[in-house]
Amino acid sequence: MARDEPVPARDEPLTASPAPAKAGPGALARQRRRASAVRFWQRYRTHRSGLFGLAALALFALVALTAPLTVGSDVQSVTGAPGRPMESPSLEFPLGTDQFGRSLFGLVVWGSRVSLLVGLLATVLSVAIGALIGITAGHFRGWFATVMMRITDWFLVMPTLVLAIALATVMSRSLGTIILAIGVTTWPTTARLVRAQTLAVESRPYIERAKALGGGHRHVMSRHVLPNVMPLVLAQTTLIISSSILAEATLAFLGLGDPTVVSWGGLLQDAREAGAVSAGKWWYLVPPGIAIAVVALSFTLCGRAVESVLNPKLGVAR
């Protein structure tokens, strides 16, 4: 060692290079969720039908969100309508007018808000009820599972539309009634599927280890069972939304919806009351009918693609 080089004192600690900080459990969980989302999208985008459905739904969602800016809320008013009753399509009214002279294009655009909202909320209610009953029945078993499954079987054999019509008839005519009627009558299929998945999950060894380490019912169901059934719940949600939108349109067409709001099913019901079918006013029926069909098809395509991604063994055609 050269004499001009400084010699460190013995009592002066040598500074070591800082060790890389370890990621905490929260950061690791977020990293894993991000990686799972990336893998999910990489598999989902290989399904052409799923991409078509997703693009169509994005377009409808954009139309529904921007309806107050594009057509305005005054399009629903029956007073001071700009056109003549049931006028054929023209440059001023691309889809014609209804029985009050209102623009059908504006009504279809505004009705997308109600139809999509009712379909989404009714599906959330239906899936929540089905998942809750399915997880609890699969976890506790015994007499509780027997009672829950018999109730589920009763709802399965009863016609869903008849039950929804009965509920909508005895209750007030409002959007909340429609959401409740659809939600409480379409959950049995979800409950059956979730219970079967719960039984499969609880037969795995790590569930026994969790119980042996002191994990209670709430811990097992929320930390172990629920994350494993969520992919099935997600796929079931995308499939039920289309049925909920069709059910809302059916109830509104039968005159059981809220008469103060504009929806696609309500437009069809107005066209029936105005005699558009016998008068040959096809433009009064076709636009809302096509909108209902396209949205229902789009949700179905997305649901099939999600189901195929989460369970590749199904072999759903792309």
Side-chain angles (χ1 to χ4, degrees):
M1 179 183 296
R3 294 182 179 180
D4 54 350
E5 293 182 1
V7 179
R10 293 183 179 180
D11 56 349
E12 182 180 350
L14 297 177
T15 58
S17 58
K22 296 182 179 180
L28 290 176
R30 288 191 295 269
Q31 185 178 359
R32 290 174 181 174
R33 286 195 294 265
R34 192 180 303 110
S36 298
V38 172
R39 289 195 302 268
F40 175 83
W41 172 247
Q42 289 176 349
R43 296 175 183 175
Y44 183 89
R45 65 182 183 181
T46 61
H47 296 263
R48 298 178 182 178
S49 59
L51 289 177
F52 171 79
L54 185 62
L57 292 179
L59 178 61
F60 274 100
L62 180 63
V63 169
L65 292 175
T66 59
L69 300 177
T70 55
V71 299
S73 58
D74 56 345
V75 71
Q76 306 177 79
S77 177
V78 297
T79 60
R84 294 174 298 178
M86 289 195 286
E87 184 178 348
S88 60
S90 60
L91 293 177
E92 184 179 2
F93 304 105
L95 299 180
T97 60
D98 68 345
Q99 57 181 333
F100 302 108
R102 299 177 296 179
S103 173
L104 275 175
F105 175 78
L107 294 176
V108 170
V109 170
W110 193 265
S112 62
R113 298 169 61 90
V114 175
S115 296
L116 292 177
L117 178 65
V118 171
L120 289 173
L121 293 181
T123 300
V124 170
L125 178 60
S126 172
V127 171
I129 296 174
L132 179 62
I133 292 179
I135 292 176
T136 54
H139 176 77
F140 291 105
R141 307 181 187 181
W143 65 269
F144 178 81
T146 302
V147 173
M148 289 294 100
M149 288 300 100
R150 297 297 78 78
I151 295 176
T152 303
D153 293 339
W154 184 83
F155 274 95
L156 278 174
V157 298
M158 290 295 293
T160 302
L161 183 59
V162 175
L163 289 176
I165 291 175
L167 287 176
T169 302
V170 299
M171 301 176 66
S172 60
R173 297 174 60 183
S174 63
L175 292 182
T177 300
I178 297 297
I179 294 172
L180 183 64
I182 297 174
V184 300
T185 56
T186 57
W187 57 267
T189 303
T190 304
R192 276 286 182 184
L193 294 175
V194 172
R195 179 178 181 270
Q197 184 68 11
T198 301
L199 292 175
V201 171
E202 296 221 351
S203 64
R204 297 172 183 173
Y206 69 88
I207 298 293
E208 295 296 332
R209 290 195 294 267
K211 293 179 180 179
L213 292 174
H217 298 297
R218 181 178 179 182
H219 175 81
V220 172
M221 288 189 293
S222 61
R223 296 297 183 89
H224 299 289
V225 177
L226 183 60
N228 284 280
V229 303
M230 279 305 296
L232 177 64
V233 172
L234 177 61
Q236 188 69 8
T237 300
T238 55
L239 294 174
I240 292 179
I241 289 180
S242 59
S243 301
S244 299
I245 293 177
L246 291 174
E248 184 276 331
T250 302
L251 294 176
F253 177 75
L254 295 176
L256 300 176
D258 190 350
T260 61
V261 298
V262 176
S263 66
W264 292 335
L267 290 176
L268 293 177
Q269 198 265 348
D270 292 341
R272 181 182 63 84
E273 289 184 348
V277 178
S278 59
K281 309 295 184 180
W282 58 267
W283 58 86
Y284 205 162
L285 298 166
V286 172
I290 291 180
I292 294 172
V294 172
V295 169
L297 177 62
S298 300
F299 273 113
T300 302
L301 293 177
C302 290
R304 295 300 182 186
V306 170
E307 193 176 14
S308 177
V309 171
L310 298 178
N311 188 5
K313 296 181 180 179
L314 294 176
V316 179
R318 300 178 180 178

